Amino acid sequence: MQLLFIGDSLTSGVNDAERLSWCGRICKQLDPHGNKLTGYNLGVRASSTDHIESRWESEAASRINSDIPALLIFCMGAPDAVKNIPLAQSKTSTENILRTAKKNYATLFITPPPMIDTAKDEHTKKLAAEFSKICTNLDIPYLDINSPLRNNPAYIKALKESDGVHPNSEGYGIMAGMISKFISPYILPHLS
């Protein structure tokens, strides 16, 4: 099975000393021998939703082998909060991305996680809520990690020990644990 993780620096794993991000940890957990899953980390540092909209289709198409099941997993929005991109613009880009993705591929969505900076974090809360509504309207399965991680002292500690936007390795491990429970049912049937 092919997994395409499409997103920003939190997808690519900035500040993860293990260089795995949450994506690599999930692939390692679900396919410890590395012979059943092909994981493509398409996370790009500072990639806002409008930037992802401009690049994701060509990046996905150049990697997907149509003879093998593929799953697209989007996680984005943090750069939109950091750059204070207007909410309406982020919503439009995200809806365009997800509408097109769903037409062509199995698609899942993960909301952006919280941040330490109060104003930026308030923006991620709004993005998570709006992106969840978009997923509901498009009938795309999604996981809200924003609220649970905000209330997870170990994750907040991992943010504080890093740069306040990207967690350290422990924080990526916490993200991977949450996300793995959500995406595993979409993957495991293809690994037997």
Side-chain angles (χ1 to χ4, degrees):
M1 180 169 202
Q2 304 163 97
L3 303 180
L4 283 75
F5 300 96
I6 303 168
D8 50 43
S9 54
L10 286 153
T11 301
S12 67
V14 169
N15 292 347
D16 182 1
E18 296 179 33
R19 308 281 196 269
L20 292 171
S21 180
W22 56 270
C23 313
R25 285 173 171 79
I26 290 171
C27 288
K28 189 175 176 182
Q29 174 204 349
L30 297 178
D31 183 19
H33 298 291
N35 59 358
K36 294 182 180 180
L37 284 177
T38 301
Y40 296 102
N41 189 323
L42 303 178
V44 174
R45 192 171 199 154
S47 191
S48 61
T49 53
D50 61 337
H51 182 249
I52 293 169
E53 184 180 11
S54 74
R55 68 179 174 85
W56 81 268
E57 284 185 86
S58 63
E59 291 179 10
S62 67
R63 286 163 177 84
I64 292 178
N65 176 340
S66 61
D67 296 331
I68 301 170
L71 176 64
L72 275 54
I73 303 150
F74 290 91
C75 182
M76 56 196 175
D80 296 55
V82 170
K83 297 173 186 178
N84 201 28
I85 292 173
L87 187 61
Q89 183 179 338
S90 301
K91 286 170 49 178
T92 298
S93 293
T94 300
E95 186 167 358
N96 291 341
I97 291 165
L98 295 178
R99 178 173 279 114
T100 303
K102 184 183 178 189
K103 286 180 190 173
N104 301 302
Y105 308 103
T107 303
L108 302 176
F109 188 83
I110 315 295
T111 66
M115 299 178 185
I116 295 301
D117 179 272
T118 304
K120 292 174 186 168
D121 187 49
E122 189 60 35
H123 199 127
T124 68
K125 274 191 219 178
K126 291 176 184 172
L127 288 169
E130 293 300 324
F131 292 172
S132 296
K133 289 177 192 173
I134 290 168
C135 289
T136 298
N137 291 339
L138 295 175
D139 196 28
I140 293 174
Y142 70 93
L143 174 66
D144 175 12
I145 61 171
N146 191 280
S147 302
L149 288 177
R150 176 173 289 100
N151 297 313
N152 184 317
Y155 185 78
I156 298 302
K157 180 176 183 271
L159 279 177
K160 288 179 178 177
E161 290 176 356
S162 187
D163 64 10
V165 173
H166 309 92
N168 60 21
S169 294
E170 289 78 18
Y172 281 108
I174 293 166
M175 287 177 72
M178 290 180 68
I179 296 169
S180 180
K181 289 177 188 170
F182 167 65
I183 68 173
S184 292
Y186 299 95
I187 299 168
L188 292 176
H190 297 281
L191 302 185
S192 50

